[in-house]
Amino acid sequence: MGLAALLTLFFLSSCIETDSTLGSALVPANQDISIHSVTLDIPVSLRMADSLQTTVSNSARVGAIRTDDFGLFHADAAFSVTPATDSIIWGKNPKVRNIYLNLVRDTALVVDDIQRSIPQNIYVHQLSVELDSSMAYHNSLGPGDYDPKPISDGGCIYTGGDTYEVRLSHAFGEKLFQIPMATLDSAELFMKAFYGLYLRCDDPDEDLNAGRINVFDLSSSYIYLNYTYEDDEGVRRSKTVTFNLGEYYAVTACNSGARDLEREDPRDIIYVEGLCGIKPHIDARELRAVVASWAEEHDLPIENMLVAKATLSFPFEYDGDRTQFDHFAKTLFPCKRVRSSKRVNYTPLDEINDTALENGAINRSKLTYTSNISLYLQNLLRKDPNRLTADDDLWMMPTVSVYDSYASTTYYFADYYYYTQSYLNGTADERHPVLNLTYTILK
């Protein structure tokens, strides 16, 4: 029987929980197909994700949240500014009447609904560095990358309303008049001459569990410059010019205070924080060693093992509060840290693309996150353990999906959008993280 036919039988039988033999009378003795299942404890540590990609087209998040368990999480936003029209002609002797930034709220991320309307000071700064594709990560930008003096003029308090509007300084607007016309006609040249904006927010007081992460829809947000100029007859005229935000670059600069939660073996509780926060981590070498040790103990040749189905299960408990899961991650799926010559990406395993497989969605009835890793584990068992690296490790991360209507395809990414806080059972709990493995041994 061919390998393709064998694999078809394996996947059709993947839900079998007890030992069974398939078609033994029809299969040669040296290819007898016996399906077995086993549940194995898995090695889990807690680590901070390094260089998490946080570029989100036309979206900005800014704010801060402080909690007892996760500490302070702080997010700033940096994004490009480009003319909304193909050509701008200022006219003679232009003068700023007023210039203001209008941001449209998309959503608010909180861990306590009472925080949705708290007042926050949001400051607007001009970037002092040019944004480019290399600045794609949560740690790409910092205080040294923007002018420390805010360009926001007057009040900067935001209370979570539908829009946040803030006046910008006349000096900021006057800089626009100094840009040559040829530069104004090219978004690429404009971004080299006039760097984008950086938004930051005050942190909650140290003794308060409070805060909010504001998400703004940059596709509906603009800078409006109202100015006057002289026409050919010397008459003063008024005009308004608009500028797009984040059309080319938008990145979240964030940091988490959860580093103290890092553990090699989180026996009591496993914390999961959204964006650049703390994540469960599975060392590939240790995971392979767990399977190999079990196989050796049962005198099973691991090189002949074919994986019919493999899932990771991360259970949690229900404390009776119906709002308990409001701020849990909607999904938790294994990602690999994929490195190329220019980029580092946390990328979900290919199994997430198969809608017939477990995609890590939260299951409130079974109180668990379950993720399919069948192809990953099969490849892991085939590899030389001495050649495994950190690139083979797994990071359990919330994921998001984006549907491309042009290609009629759904793409999955490590979650760069939502801030969440989840509490999972530790490795010493009765219900703890496990690998559920269904397999056969080719004889």
Side-chain angles (χ1 to χ4, degrees), residues 86-353:
D86 292 336
S87 179
I88 297 177
I89 300 176
W90 295 120
K92 186 186 298 185
N93 193 23
K95 294 185 181 298
V96 174
R97 292 181 60 189
N98 58 70
I99 180 171
Y100 61 94
L101 170 69
N102 184 275
L103 296 172
V104 175
R105 185 197 65 187
D106 182 351
T107 187
L109 310 176
V110 296
V111 291
D112 188 339
D113 284 341
I114 202 173
Q115 300 292 313
R116 291 192 180 276
S117 300
I118 60 169
Q120 292 174 305
N121 289 321
I122 297 180
Y123 306 96
V124 184
H125 299 261
Q126 187 171 7
L127 281 166
S128 55
V129 296
E130 178 190 352
L131 291 175
D132 59 39
S133 59
S134 68
M135 299 177 183
Y137 309 106
H138 80 276
N139 52 4
S140 293
L141 296 165
D145 296 317
Y146 59 86
D147 188 332
K149 182 180 179 181
I151 59 172
S152 39
D153 184 16
C156 54
I157 295 177
Y158 176 58
T159 57
D162 291 339
T163 60
Y164 170 59
E165 185 172 299
V166 58
R167 295 192 311 273
L168 304 180
S169 68
H170 279 216
F172 174 74
E174 296 287 347
K175 292 181 181 179
L176 293 165
F177 298 144
Q178 301 169 16
I179 298 177
M181 186 176 297
T183 300
L184 291 171
D185 293 343
S186 167
E188 183 179 0
L189 294 178
F190 185 89
M191 287 185 291
K192 291 181 177 297
F194 193 84
Y195 303 143
L197 297 184
Y198 191 96
L199 271 58
R200 65 178 182 87
C201 179
D202 284 339
D203 294 331
D205 292 340
E206 291 189 8
D207 57 345
L208 289 180
N209 285 332
R212 181 180 66 238
I213 306 295
N214 309 289
V215 182
F216 295 109
D217 177 10
L218 297 182
S219 66
S220 301
S221 304
Y222 302 93
I223 289 177
Y224 295 92
L225 169 60
N226 299 310
Y227 72 100
T228 63
Y229 68 97
E230 293 179 9
D231 63 15
D232 294 339
E233 285 74 36
V235 178
R236 205 87 191 150
R237 303 287 187 181
S238 298
K239 190 175 182 179
T240 298
V241 174
T242 59
F243 294 85
N244 293 329
L245 308 178
E247 185 176 11
Y248 292 88
Y249 298 109
V251 62
T252 301
C254 59
N255 55 76
S256 168
R259 188 169 294 278
D260 289 345
L261 298 177
E262 288 189 321
R263 300 284 188 279
E264 285 304 314
D265 183 16
R267 297 177 59 80
D268 298 328
I269 189 168
I270 293 174
Y271 298 94
V272 188
E273 190 178 24
L275 298 177
C276 64
I278 196 82
K279 302 289 190 299
H281 168 265
I282 300 173
D283 187 294
R285 288 160 294 191
E286 294 181 11
L287 178 61
R288 189 188 187 283
V290 165
V291 179
S293 177
W294 163 82
E296 182 179 2
E297 181 181 345
H298 291 80
D299 197 25
L300 299 175
I302 195 172
E303 63 274 10
N304 292 342
M305 180 179 291
L306 282 182
V307 175
K309 184 176 182 179
T311 60
L312 295 177
S313 177
F314 280 77
F316 50 86
E317 303 302 329
Y318 176 52
D319 62 11
D321 181 358
R322 287 182 297 178
T323 67
Q324 174 189 348
F325 305 128
D326 287 355
H327 309 294
F328 269 47
K330 299 298 185 285
T331 61
L332 196 63
F333 195 83
C335 297
K336 292 176 69 176
R337 192 170 186 263
V338 179
R339 285 186 262 197
S340 65
S341 59
K342 295 183 178 180
R343 288 290 184 94
V344 175
N345 288 319
Y346 287 88
T347 304
L349 297 182
D350 290 341
E351 286 87 328
I352 201 172
N353 296 303

